[in-house]
Amino acid sequence: MKTVWIMAALLVGSAVPAWAADTFDITITVDDMPAHGQLPPGMTRAGIAASHIKSFKAHGVPEAFGFVNAARLADDTGNAAVLDIWRQAGYPLGNHTYSHMNIEKAASLEAWQADVIAGEPAVASRMEEAFWRYLRFPYLSVGTTRRDEAFAFLRDRGYKIADVSIAFSDWDYTDAYARCVGKADTASIERMKVHYLQGVDTGIANMKENSKRVYGRVIPQVLLTHIGGWSAVTLPDVLARLDAAGARYVTLAQAQADPAYAEPGGGSVIGRSASKNNIRLVTDTSGDPALDLKSICK
């Protein structure tokens, strides 16, 4: 596997892109803990968590908020170790609901509220006196008819909403990567990495341009990633690109103290603000090569 990544690195290159000028603050958040997607052969959930932490520490990331679906703790006896490893590294945990329940598709508002509450013990018990009442809405959906009631419920329980401003769609690659590892298809893994990192480059460039269009500046960013095998193996390259782009790593509280995050909501904070103010966003992905992630390695 080491050969695969060396070859991919040569294909992608290490030159600093032309957009790497403006510095900006960014916090990193990690969803679907303790387990996201298929587990690639030869990897463990604890190993994936340790790999994330190693990369974060190497790049001076002071905090990576992990958002927990506590129902996944029952899937495997080793999954609890993921949360413990995270806390031992000094990184905090928050609530992602017990079962990753989409509020818009829940049987009722009360069912969703119960799922939020059910997710609390696994987080609270590990956070002790530290503040953990951040909620990341599954699928970044805050609902439509249930939105105001959900926000009121969270306020009453002392929650803050963990927003998002940037993501690189790592979740789209997770299961495809596990399949390719299982088939030892190194050529497809190379293609996936080149495709993904080109998307990361485009995503960073678009983020800077769109932030300036909407706010007149590059606001502090909240990056969404996931605790999966694909994220673990590509995170060093993602962080290197963020470093080159001028990233300064901060905490979630520091990032969301910016006025841009004053009104929480679903989806991306930049997208919401653009829609509200009728501002057209850059969505150029023309440089990305075509890749069918749903069928690759099947």
Side-chain angles (χ1 to χ4, degrees), residues 18-19 25 29-30 46 48 75 81 145 156-157 186 197 209 216 224 228 267 290:
W19 43 257
D25 290 344
T29 62
V30 185
I48 288 171
D75 293 348
T145 58
D156 288 345
R157 294 191 69 81
T186 56
L197 293 178
E209 175 60 26
L224 167 63

Side-chain angles (χ1 to χ4, degrees), residues 15 25 43 51 72-73 80 113 131 133 149 161 163 165 170 177 179 195 200 211 230 250 254 266 271 280:
D25 290 344
M43 300 182 81
S51 178
R72 299 302 304 271
L73 292 172
Q113 291 172 336
F131 183 80
R133 288 185 184 269
E149 290 176 292
I161 295 171
D163 222 320
S165 66
D170 60 302
Y177 175 67
R179 293 194 305 268
H195 183 264
V200 171
S211 186
W230 175 257
V250 298
Q254 288 172 325
R280 185 176 180 179

